[in-house]
Amino acid sequence: MTRLATGDGVGYEVREAGDGPPVLLLHGFTGSAASWAALLQPLTERHRVIAVDLLGHGGSDAPADPARHAVERQAADLADLLQQLDATRGAVLGYSFGARIALRLALDDPETVERLILESPSAGIADAGARAARRAADERWATLLETDGLDAFADAWEAQPLFASRQRLPDDDRRRLREALLGNRAAGLAASLRGAGQGAMEPLYDRLPEVRQPTLVLAGALDTVGRERAEAVATGIPGARFETIPDAGHAPHLETPAAFLARVLAFLATPVEVAS
């Protein structure tokens, strides 16, 4: 593991393995770089894999100011970190929260990203009223974290219909997911919700046509709402490929890792024409 700092001194925990073209992995909310464990060995056979703990998660810093967690701020941080690692012009794979940051990175620093893989992504919430409602919901989650702690938050968070398909995972896998969530800090997750939640981020639907990187968008067939959001992202990106993964919900890389990995490796190995 490596610890890198941005220009303003904010620290990120970074894990690297393998050699070859770089692939940056960005986890989802409540996760960490360790969330990608099932994918690391196959990816590192041909790629230099760089997995980052996003702010408020894992071993990275958790600034008290929610604004420092903003999607655009973290995207700029990642461009800086990739420069420090001499790992630009690689692929970026982001899941859910990480996919939103990956999308912003591809838009704001297009020369840094050669190709883009978005798992269960969203481009934000276009409607102002719906965005305000999401901010209020995220504030309730943040307050729960601060008042009742991680265990109570985990109970409520994991009970959401969005994660129902995870109940089919083996007990050991579900226990590891729970332990990973509890390995975070309540204050860090609360700041992340307030600063980088979908209600806080600038909607990116109008900017999707600017994406010029070859793009693969993946969604689980069982994730009805998430699949619709993901398809909307793919529709807005010129030339993007959209694929659903059977028998998976919101997190195909965890629920059906073999099927997910097969699609990722095929995309990374196949020349893709850049949209003009």
Side-chain angles (χ1 to χ4, degrees):
M1 290 187 290
T2 304
R3 189 166 181 82
L4 297 176
T6 61
D8 61 352
V10 172
Y12 281 82
E13 196 78 21
V14 181
R15 306 182 188 196
E16 286 191 80
D19 293 301
V23 178
L24 174 66
L25 304 181
L26 303 177
H27 62 80
F29 179 67
T30 76
S32 71
S35 304
W36 301 105
L39 279 66
L40 286 183
Q41 191 276 329
L43 280 174
T44 54
E45 290 179 3
R46 296 191 178 184
H47 297 275
R48 176 188 178 192
V49 177
I50 301 166
V52 176
D53 289 349
L54 295 167
L55 293 185
H57 294 75
S60 290
D61 285 353
D65 181 5
R68 187 59 185 84
H69 293 252
V71 166
E72 64 271 21
R73 297 285 297 276
Q74 294 199 64
D77 290 344
L78 291 169
D80 179 9
L81 298 184
L82 290 172
Q83 288 284 350
Q84 293 184 46
L85 293 167
D86 192 23
T88 58
R89 300 304 300 160
V92 179
L93 163 55
Y95 160 61
S96 194
F97 168 42
R100 293 189 282 115
I101 295 176
L103 177 59
R104 185 75 193 221
L105 175 61
L107 285 166
D108 289 355
D109 289 274
E111 296 305 313
T112 298
V113 182
E114 185 175 67
R115 63 178 69 200
L116 188 60
I117 305 171
L118 304 174
E119 178 191 3
S120 303
S122 167
I125 301 173
D127 179 77
R131 199 159 59 249
R134 180 56 182 263
R135 280 198 303 275
D138 285 344
E139 179 59 34
R140 289 192 291 273
W141 285 115
T143 300
L144 175 64
L145 278 160
E146 293 170 334
T147 58
D148 292 4
L150 279 167
D151 279 302
F153 171 81
D155 289 340
W157 186 260
E158 293 172 343
Q160 294 181 93
L162 180 67
F163 304 122
S165 57
R166 292 188 188 180
Q167 296 305 311
R168 303 181 307 158
L169 290 171
D171 290 345
D172 286 348
D173 289 349
R174 287 191 286 113
R175 184 174 63 252
R176 280 192 289 269
L177 286 173
R178 174 83 174 202
E179 290 172 351
L181 189 160
L182 296 177
N184 290 302
R185 293 148 291 174
L189 294 182
S192 179
L193 282 165
R194 290 177 173 129
Q198 288 196 66
M201 74 174 282
E202 176 190 358
L204 298 174
Y205 288 100
D206 290 346
R207 295 191 61 191
L208 292 177
E210 300 174 27
V211 177
R212 289 294 180 263
Q213 295 88 347
T215 301
L216 173 65
V217 179
L218 298 170
L222 303 179
D223 181 14
T224 305
V225 174
R227 189 176 71 243
E228 291 177 357
R229 287 198 301 253
E231 190 166 12
V233 171
T235 299
I237 296 175
R241 183 191 309 172
F242 176 68
E243 296 185 22
T244 58
I245 299 180
D247 300 319
H250 190 63
H253 74 284
L254 296 172
E255 299 171 45
T256 54
F260 178 83
L261 184 62
R263 288 162 173 79
V264 169
L265 291 175
F267 179 70
L268 292 173
T270 304
V272 181
E273 183 179 351
V274 180
S276 60

